[in-house]
Amino acid sequence: MEYIDIFITSFKDYARYVGNEVFNPHWGNYLYWLIGISIFFYALELTMPWRKDQPKIRKDFWLDAFYMFFNFFLFSLVGYYAISNVFVELFNDFLGLFGIENLVAIEINTWPVWTQLLTLFILRDFIHWNVHRLLHTVPALWEFHKVHHSVEQMGFAAHLRFHWMETIVYRTIEYIPLAMIGFGIQEFLLVHLFALAIGHFNHSNILVPLGPFKYIFNNPQMHIWHHAKHIPSKTGVNFGISLSIWDYIFGTNYIPKDGRDEPLGFDDMDKFPSELKDQLIYGFKRRKEK
Ligand SMILES: [Zn+2]
Ligand SMILES: [Zn+2]
């Protein structure tokens, strides 16, 4: 009963939160930051495109625009937030059976705010880099991750084109390590927005020479090779999300030449569904047909 209550309350809380976000623009408003950051990168794509002959409204532009709002916003509304609150409560109760009150191993909330944010950003990005590798190496997870790799013309909005199962996989895996340093499922706005902006940047059709910073930050010239159809490794290259440094440290970096016009996707692209409704359930039933 207690869990059902948490589910219903969380669901109502989130519905109220979303309603508030839509009707009250303010500085902490994710929806308007998403719109603002998207317009910023789209404006750059229009004024200084890397692939000059790519259509301004590229293939799947509107599909990806829908994915942006669905993955960033609506998916949480239709239950993820509520389910994860129940999961957290269940997990805490489970720990309680062993007399563990909380998971915090290092109290970082006594540190200066900027070091907390930097730690959260770097740690979270490293966890995500590892999860991203798993999405490429575990066959069942790759089926879900194909949605992201089905992009044929690259642009900023492709950043948030991914299967909703990815949200569940990322959040589940990051939960315990983040809880150990005292971060819950509520994240810091600043870290989240910074990661959102870099993610949009990586997928944008723009050329911004980063100089030596390319060894630290992911960028369109590196990430295009992550989406390239023809690469030497079967399990992928350039897994970086916000930071490219992990790929340089662990030797998974790969930029053989200018990848501006590389064909994107994967081998059996023709069998991949082009419609949203089929993509949402992809990875569950398709596997049996093989
Ligand atoms: Zn990938
Ligand atoms: Zn990508």
Side-chain angles (χ1 to χ4, degrees), residues 13-290:
D13 279 356
Y14 202 82
R16 199 176 308 126
Y17 163 74
V18 170
N20 258 327
E21 291 282 283
V22 173
F23 296 110
N24 299 308
H26 60 93
W27 285 109
N29 185 310
Y30 276 109
L31 179 64
Y32 288 96
W33 274 109
L34 175 66
I35 294 170
I37 291 171
S38 299
I39 291 173
F40 176 76
F41 284 103
Y42 191 43
L44 290 180
E45 287 186 346
L46 292 177
T47 49
M48 42 176 278
W50 185 25
R51 287 170 296 279
K52 295 187 173 38
D53 44 3
Q54 181 169 300
K56 300 214 178 330
I57 304 286
R58 64 178 174 83
K59 183 169 189 283
D60 293 342
F61 181 91
W62 296 112
L63 177 70
D64 291 352
F66 175 80
Y67 267 115
M68 286 208 310
F69 292 99
F70 180 75
N71 281 328
F72 201 75
F73 226 68
L74 294 179
F75 178 58
S76 303
L77 174 69
V78 291
Y80 176 75
Y81 176 79
I83 293 167
S84 60
N85 277 355
V86 172
F87 169 78
V88 168
E89 191 64 25
L90 264 169
F91 187 69
N92 286 340
D93 288 356
F94 173 75
L95 291 178
L97 295 177
F98 304 94
I100 303 169
E101 300 255 303
N102 68 63
L103 278 172
V104 181
I106 317 166
E107 284 283 356
I108 82 163
N109 52 21
T110 54
W111 300 0
V113 172
W114 71 270
T115 41
Q116 283 187 45
L117 294 179
L118 193 66
T119 308
L120 178 63
F121 172 69
I122 295 173
L123 180 71
R124 195 164 176 258
D125 191 65
F126 184 54
I127 296 169
H128 287 185
W129 181 82
N130 282 287
V131 176
H132 191 189
R133 292 199 70 171
L134 279 182
L135 293 174
H136 280 263
T137 46
V138 177
L141 295 180
W142 166 245
E143 292 299 309
F144 297 128
H145 192 47
K146 271 179 174 175
V147 171
H148 184 64
H149 282 267
S150 64
V151 176
E152 288 171 278
Q153 290 179 343
M154 189 55 74
F156 74 95
H159 171 213
L160 294 170
R161 171 194 185 122
F162 54 80
H163 198 288
W164 55 271
M165 270 296 288
E166 286 200 23
T167 307
I168 294 182
V169 173
Y170 275 101
R171 295 297 177 92
T172 307
I173 296 178
E174 78 180 3
Y175 178 73
I176 292 177
L178 293 185
M180 288 178 78
I181 56 166
F183 288 106
I185 49 171
Q186 269 77 34
E187 295 150 38
F188 281 96
L189 177 83
L190 216 59
V191 173
H192 208 75
L193 293 181
F194 189 53
L196 177 72
I198 301 181
H200 268 39
F201 170 61
N202 297 335
H203 292 86
S204 289
N205 178 24
I206 55 176
L207 172 69
V208 180
L210 291 186
F213 288 105
K214 69 180 180 195
Y215 297 111
I216 298 174
F217 291 104
N218 200 358
N219 53 79
Q221 286 62 50
M222 183 172 194
H223 195 66
I224 197 98
W225 284 102
H226 179 69
H227 284 265
K229 203 168 186 173
H230 310 293
I231 44 164
S233 161
K234 269 208 153 10
T235 48
V237 293
N238 302 350
F239 300 98
I241 310 283
S242 296
L243 299 175
S244 60
I245 197 168
W246 313 120
D247 287 306
Y248 288 106
I249 292 175
F250 296 100
T252 45
N253 59 305
Y254 180 74
I255 306 178
K257 59 180 166 62
D258 183 348
R260 190 187 70 180
D261 301 311
E262 272 297 305
L264 309 179
F266 44 84
D267 276 345
D268 44 356
M269 284 280 281
D270 49 323
K271 294 194 199 83
F272 193 80
S274 57
E275 284 194 40
L276 178 74
K277 64 175 181 17
D278 301 315
Q279 291 181 2
L280 289 175
I281 52 166
Y282 191 85
F284 292 111
K285 61 171 196 181
R286 284 296 174 107
R287 275 175 63 73
K288 294 188 201 107
E289 291 168 18
K290 281 201 197 132

